[in-house]
Amino acid sequence: MHKNTSPFLGLLMLLFSLPLLAQQQEKQVLIETKNTALILTVGSNQRLYQSYFGEKLSDHSDYSHLMATRHEAYVPAGMENLFEPAIRVTHADGNPSLELKHVNTTVKKQDENVTTTSITLKDPKYPMEVVLHYVAHFNEDIFKTWTEIKHQEKKPVTLHNFASSMMHFDASSYWLSQFDGDYMIEMGMKESQLTNGIKTLDSKLGTRAHMYRTPVFFLSTGGKSTETTGNVVAGTLAWSGNFQISFEIDQANSLRVLSGMNPYNSEYQLEKGKTFTTPPFIFTYSGQGKGQASRNLHKWARKYGVLDGDKPRLTLLNNWEATHMDFDEKQLVELFDGAKKLGVDLFLLDDGWFGEKFPRDNDRTALGDWMTDKKKLPSGIGYLVSQAHAKDIKFGIWLEPEMVSPKSALYEKHPEWILKLPNREEHYSRHQLVLDLTNPKVQDFVYKTVDDLMTQNPGISFIKWDCNRMMTNAFSPYLKDKQSHLYIDYTRSLYAVMERLRNKYPHLPIMLCAGGGGRTDYGALQYFSEFWPSDNTNGFERVFIQWGYLNFFPSVTVSSHVTSMGKQPIKFRTDVAMMGKMGYDIKVSSMTPQEIEFSREAVKTYKKLSPVIWTGDLFRLVSPYEENRAVLMYTSEDKNKAVLFNYILNTRHKEKLAPVKLQGLDPAKRYIVQEVNMLPGTQSQNPAHGKTYSGEYLMKVGMNLSPGRLTPVTSNIFEITEEKHLSEK
C-alpha cells in the first residue's frame, strides 16, 4: 500500500477485495460423463456445495460463472440447516450436531469409461469423517454415488439419518413420476406436480420390501417431460430393504432430493473405527425426455448392474400351473416332453419338491427342510436332472431359503433362528416366518442349503429364489439390544450370502423372485440374472406391469411367461411375453395341436429376435396410459435391425388409431418390414408387410400398425431389417 494512502481507504480496498479472495479460494470438482456434468465446489469456508447438474458445457471456463455456494452437497443436521438433512448423528458425549468440511478430493480412473471421485469431509471438532463417492460411467451417462461414515470417538456414535445421495435443483416447477402398486398390480405409473413441503416414497416392509413401491423415479424439471422432450432425472436406489426417497421444496422453490436406506426404526450404533457404507444411488440426466434416460440405465445395467447382463438367457417351462404341489416323479418326467415340444432350453421345478418329516403338500409346511420328499421323488433330484438331460433340456429348481414354516423340523430344532417378538403371538403371512439372517449361523445354513443342492446335483442349471413375505412382529434374538440394526443388517447379510455363493457359482442363472416384484433393484441384481415382475401373468395386465419395469430395467432382466391366466388368445399372451425375457408356465398337455405348433415356432422366432430385444435400445412409442394400445420397439446399436411390438388393448366402436412414427433408425438406411410370429395358416394383413422403406420415412411418416377394423386384445410383432442385411437373418 502507498505510504500516503489513508487507513480508511486501505480498509475500504481490503473489504472490496474480500469477495475476490473468497472466490480465489473456492475450488471446483468437475465430474463428467459424455453428455452430463456434476459440479461440486469447495467454498472458502471449506464446506462442499453442489453448483451444477445438467447438460455438459463444452467450455469448462463457463462453469466459473455458476452460483457456486448456495446448496451444501451433503447437509448435516444440528447446525444451521432448516430442512431435511442428509446425515444426522449423536456423538458419544450427547452432542447432536455435525459440521462437514472438505479435507481432500481424489480421482481414480478405473479405465477409459469409469472414473471414481472420492471427497473426504471431516468435522473440525469431532473425529468423524464422511466420504462421498461419485462414479461416472462416461459412455452410459450414468452416475453412481454412495457414502462412507466413520469415526474415532471413544464410544459408539448413533446414526439417525444416512442418505446415499443429496441432490439440489432450481427450476420453475417439478414433476415426479413414481411407480406404486401391490401384489398382482405392481409398478403402476403415476405422475404429479411437486409442491412445497415433503413428498416421500418409502418402504418399511424389511423383506419383499418393494411390494408396494419400487425405489425408482423420474423427476422432470421446468415442466412435464415426454418420452422425447424435457429435462429429466431418472434415479434408483440399489437396495433390497427399506428405502426412503424424499423430495422437499423450500420457500425459495429450490428442491432437494434425498435417497437412501429408510431411517425408520433403524438408529445405528457405529463403533469406533468401523465404516458404515450406504447403498449406491444410481442416476442419469437426459435433456431429451424419459426415453433417453431409460436407455442410459439399460446400457449401464447390462454392462455393470446385472449379473451377466450382456450374456444370453435361457427360455424355460415351469411346472407350477400344470401341477402346483401335487405331482410325482413320473408326472414331472412326462412334463419334460412338453418342454421338448415347445423347444425351450430348461424345465423349472417349482415349489413342493421337499420336506421329510413334514412333506410340502401345501404352503403351511416344510419351508426350511430342504431335503427331497421321498414319497414324491423316490429317486431324488439327481434322477430328474439326468432325465432332463437325456431329453436334451436343462433342469432348474425353486427355493425359498430365507423362510421357515412353523410346521417344520427346522422350526422345532432352532426356534432361536427365527424373527419373532417375545411375549407376542406369532404373526404369519402365507403361513410362514422369516429366518434371522443377521445371525451368522443362519447365513451359513442358507448358504449350505444352496451349496448342498448344487454339490449333490451338479447338473442343476437354474435356481428360482423366492421370498414370499415381508417382516412383521420382527425381533432378532441374535441382535439382542441392537434391534434397530435389524432392517439394515438383514439386507447386508443377504448380500453377504449371495457374495459367498457367487464366489463359488459365478455364472449360475438365478431368478430373483419375491411373491412377484417384491425385490426389484440393482442391489440384488448384481447377484441375480433376472427378476420375476409379478405373479399376475394375465397378458393384458402384464402390458402395464412390464411397461413400468422397462422404464428402469433392461428387458433381459424382466421375466415374462406365457400362461393360461386371462384367457386371451395365445398369440397375444406370447407377444406380450416376447417383450421381455420369455418363458412358459403352462400345461402343455392342455394345449391344442395348433397352439403347440404356434408356440414351437414362437420359441424359434424369439431366439432369432432376442439379441435385439435383450441388447437393443428401447423406444416407447405409444403408452398404454395414453391410448388403448401400447407400442414399443428395440433397435440394435448399429441400427441394422429392430423389433416392433404393437398391442391393441380395449377399443371403442369404430375407433381409429393414428400411424405411429418409429424411432432409433438410421434415416439414410432402407429397411424391409415383415410381420412375424403369425398363427399357423395365417398371413399378415398389414399393408407394410414385405415392403421396403427408408428410415427417414418410418420415423417422419410412420406406419399404420392397425389398419381396418380393430379387434380388442390382439397384437403384432414386426421385424425391421436393413435391406442389405436381410441375408443375415
Side-chain angles (χ1 to χ4, degrees):
M1 186 181 296
H2 194 277
K3 64 180 180 178
N4 292 328
T5 303
S6 70
F8 175 77
L9 182 59
L11 179 61
L12 193 64
M13 292 174 64
L14 179 61
L15 289 172
F16 274 109
S17 69
L18 282 177
L20 179 61
L21 290 171
Q23 187 178 22
Q24 289 173 344
Q25 292 175 15
E26 291 173 358
K27 177 185 177 182
Q28 286 189 336
V29 179
L30 175 61
I31 305 171
E32 286 187 319
T33 62
K34 187 175 183 179
N35 297 295
T36 310
L38 172 63
I39 310 297
L40 303 171
T41 300
V42 180
S44 57
N45 59 1
Q46 296 306 300
R47 292 188 181 183
L48 184 71
Y49 298 88
Q50 179 190 315
S51 303
Y52 180 79
F53 177 62
E55 192 171 353
K56 184 164 72 173
L57 305 181
S58 56
D59 186 347
H60 284 184
S61 66
D62 284 341
Y63 294 130
S64 64
H65 303 304
L66 295 169
M67 187 180 292
T69 57
R70 182 180 176 191
H71 299 301
E72 197 168 347
Y74 197 77
V75 181
M79 301 292 284
E80 59 273 14
N81 170 57
L82 300 176
F83 298 96
E84 284 296 296
I87 182 171
R88 184 167 73 90
V89 308
T90 300
H91 296 281
D93 64 1
N95 191 316
S97 67
L98 184 68
E99 185 178 15
L100 295 175
K101 292 197 172 186
H102 179 265
V103 176
N104 61 60
T105 298
T106 62
V107 179
K108 182 179 180 181
K109 200 172 181 65
Q110 181 176 317
D111 53 39
E112 290 304 310
N113 192 52
V114 181
T115 302
T116 301
T117 301
S118 300
I119 303 172
T120 301
L121 310 173
K122 287 186 178 180
D123 190 307
K125 302 294 185 180
Y126 288 84
M128 190 156 193
E129 177 179 297
V130 173
V131 183
L132 307 181
H133 298 279
Y134 298 88
V135 178
H137 295 266
F138 187 85
N139 290 318
E140 295 79 18
D141 280 320
I142 290 290
F143 297 87
K144 182 171 72 170
T145 182
W146 71 95
T147 303
E148 290 182 334
I149 305 167
K150 48 192 169 183
H151 72 90
Q152 294 297 326
E153 299 187 27
K154 293 181 180 180
K155 295 182 179 180
V157 168
T158 303
L159 306 182
H160 305 278
N161 294 71
F162 23 76
S164 296
S165 168
M166 171 178 269
M167 300 184 69
H168 300 272
F169 301 91
D170 289 290
S172 58
S173 63
Y174 309 95
W175 291 82
L176 176 69
S177 294
Q178 63 190 79
F179 295 79
D180 302 329
D182 196 352
Y183 178 63
M184 300 285 276
I185 53 168
E186 293 87 349
M187 210 60 177
M189 184 165 60
K190 306 176 183 71
E191 187 169 32
S192 59
Q193 184 173 4
L194 294 173
T195 57
N196 290 74
I198 303 176
K199 167 81 172 186
T200 299
L201 310 177
D202 76 341
S203 167
K204 301 180 183 71
L205 303 182
T207 49
R208 199 180 174 186
H210 308 159
M211 182 170 68
Y212 299 145
R213 183 169 295 114
T214 302
V216 299
F217 67 86
F218 285 128
L219 174 68
S220 300
T221 59
K224 278 189 176 184
S225 295
T226 68
E227 284 292 320
T228 57
T229 64
N231 301 314
V232 63
V233 176
T236 181
L237 187 70
W239 183 244
S240 307
N242 292 351
F243 66 89
Q244 185 181 85
I245 306 173
S246 65
F247 305 81
E248 182 175 23
I249 297 179
D250 64 19
Q251 80 291 345
N253 206 47
S254 293
L255 171 67
R256 65 172 61 176
V257 180
L258 286 162
S259 306
M261 296 180 287
N262 197 333
Y264 166 76
N265 196 21
S266 295
E267 290 185 341
Y268 210 91
Q269 303 300 313
L270 184 62
E271 303 286 340
K272 176 182 177 180
K274 299 292 185 180
T275 299
F276 184 94
T277 303
T278 69
F281 174 66
I282 299 149
F283 61 103
T284 186
Y285 167 83
S286 165
Q288 292 82 43
K290 298 172 184 173
Q292 186 58 54
S294 294
R295 290 187 287 277
N296 292 347
L297 284 169
H298 295 168
K299 287 181 180 179
W300 170 85
R302 288 191 294 265
K303 190 172 182 180
Y304 300 102
V306 179
L307 181 73
D308 292 336
D310 56 355
K311 301 293 191 300
R313 295 299 196 256
L314 298 169
T315 56
L316 61 85
L317 172 66
N318 194 339
N319 72 298
W320 180 252
E321 188 167 307
T323 67
H324 295 279
M325 298 182 191
D326 184 15
F327 56 79
D328 59 27
E329 201 170 79
K330 182 174 180 294
Q331 285 175 289
L332 292 180
V333 173
E334 289 173 353
L335 291 177
F336 296 167
D337 291 329
K340 191 67 177 175
K341 285 181 181 179
L342 295 177
V344 298
D345 304 310
L346 177 137
F347 179 87
L348 173 62
L349 174 59
D350 213 292
D351 195 356
W353 58 269
F354 54 93
E356 192 172 63
K357 183 177 181 180
F358 303 100
R360 181 71 167 177
D361 295 326
N362 55 59
D363 65 3
R364 295 175 180 269
T365 63
L367 288 177
D369 299 347
W370 300 104
M371 63 288 292
T372 306
D373 180 350
K374 294 298 184 182
K375 184 178 179 181
K376 290 181 182 177
L377 307 175
S379 304
I381 297 297
Y383 171 76
L384 295 177
V385 174
S386 64
Q387 289 298 302
H389 288 180
K391 296 180 184 293
D392 197 29
I393 57 173
K394 299 179 185 295
F395 183 85
I397 199 164
W398 178 95
L399 287 170
E400 194 174 4
E402 300 165 66
M403 301 292 157
V404 61
S405 300
K407 196 172 182 180
S408 67
L410 181 67
Y411 181 94
E412 294 178 344
K413 184 178 181 181
H414 289 292
E416 78 282 5
W417 282 10
I418 297 162
L419 294 177
K420 57 179 181 176
L421 283 169
N423 304 317
R424 299 286 185 188
E425 294 296 320
E426 292 179 351
H427 179 262
Y428 305 130
S429 177
R430 209 189 180 215
H431 314 293
Q432 62 194 58
L433 294 164
V434 183
L435 289 175
D436 183 4
L437 210 55
T438 67
N439 186 332
K441 291 182 180 178
V442 176
Q443 294 176 37
D444 291 341
F445 169 78
V446 173
Y447 171 82
K448 192 172 184 297
T449 294
V450 181
D451 187 44
D452 285 352
L453 189 66
M454 294 300 301
T455 302
Q456 296 163 13
N457 308 283
I460 290 177
S461 302
F462 186 95
I463 288 176
K464 179 181 178 182
W465 183 299
D466 217 336
C467 171
N468 276 303
R469 69 154 294 169
M470 69 300 291
M471 288 185 192
T472 55
N473 296 29
F475 178 93
S476 164
Y478 176 78
L479 291 176
K480 298 179 181 177
D481 61 345
K482 293 184 178 179
Q483 293 303 311
S484 62
H485 291 203
L486 174 58
Y487 289 123
I488 293 173
D489 285 358
Y490 184 97
T491 304
R492 288 176 171 172
S493 300
L494 172 65
Y495 293 165
V497 171
M498 296 310 302
E499 195 73 36
R500 289 174 65 186
L501 286 171
R502 283 309 177 193
N503 286 337
K504 188 167 184 180
Y505 307 100
H507 300 291
L508 173 69
I510 307 181
M511 178 194 291
L512 177 63
C513 184
R519 275 184 183 155
T520 44
D521 65 273
Y522 286 114
L525 281 172
Q526 62 186 315
Y527 305 111
F528 292 82
S529 53
E530 60 208 72
F531 66 87
W532 183 238
S534 178
D535 282 351
N536 186 345
T537 56
N538 178 306
F540 184 94
E541 299 290 345
R542 270 296 185 120
V543 168
F544 291 87
I545 293 170
Q546 292 169 193
W547 187 274
Y549 281 113
L550 287 170
N551 280 278
F552 298 90
F553 302 98
S555 58
V556 73
T557 65
V558 183
S559 297
S560 182
H561 293 179
V562 182
T563 77
S564 60
M565 185 182 289
K567 305 301 180 183
Q568 296 107 1
I570 192 167
K571 173 173 166 53
F572 183 86
R573 287 178 275 143
T574 305
D575 288 355
V576 171
M578 283 191 178
M579 183 200 304
K581 187 254 171 185
M582 187 176 76
Y584 287 83
D585 188 347
I586 198 165
K587 194 172 184 179
V588 179
S589 61
S590 297
M591 298 171 70
T592 67
Q594 185 188 45
E595 288 175 333
I596 292 175
E597 180 186 354
F598 166 75
S599 299
R600 184 169 56 248
E601 291 303 313
V603 170
K604 293 178 183 177
T605 299
Y606 180 72
K607 289 183 176 181
K608 182 178 69 173
L609 301 178
S610 60
V612 178
I613 297 170
W614 293 345
T615 66
D617 287 332
L618 170 63
F619 296 89
R620 294 181 293 268
L621 305 180
V622 181
S623 170
Y625 288 90
E626 297 173 358
E627 294 189 21
N628 287 325
R629 60 174 168 173
V631 185
L632 57 96
M633 66 183 288
Y634 296 94
T635 305
S636 63
E637 187 175 3
D638 58 14
K639 301 183 186 297
N640 291 337
K641 297 181 180 180
V643 182
L644 176 68
F645 296 91
N646 176 48
Y647 306 105
I648 305 300
L649 304 175
N650 292 323
T651 60
R652 299 195 65 189
H653 182 61
K654 292 188 176 181
E655 181 176 1
K656 298 293 183 184
L657 299 177
V660 176
K661 295 178 182 179
L662 309 193
Q663 297 176 30
L665 302 175
D666 186 331
K669 291 183 176 180
R670 297 192 63 78
Y671 298 91
I672 185 166
V673 176
Q674 293 178 304
E675 185 172 359
V676 298
N677 212 41
M678 305 291 295
L679 288 168
T682 64
Q683 295 182 341
S684 175
Q685 301 301 308
N686 192 288
H689 174 70
K691 293 184 179 178
T692 302
Y693 303 86
S694 69
E696 181 182 36
Y697 179 94
L698 292 172
M699 291 190 291
K700 290 184 177 180
V701 179
M703 286 177 57
N704 186 353
L705 300 177
S706 308
R709 185 175 180 178
L710 296 177
T711 303
V713 198
T714 55
S715 54
N716 314 89
I717 300 178
F718 296 91
E719 185 178 12
I720 301 169
T721 310
E722 187 188 2
E723 196 171 31
K724 69 178 183 179
H725 290 279
L726 192 60
S727 60
E728 298 176 6
K729 288 180 54 181

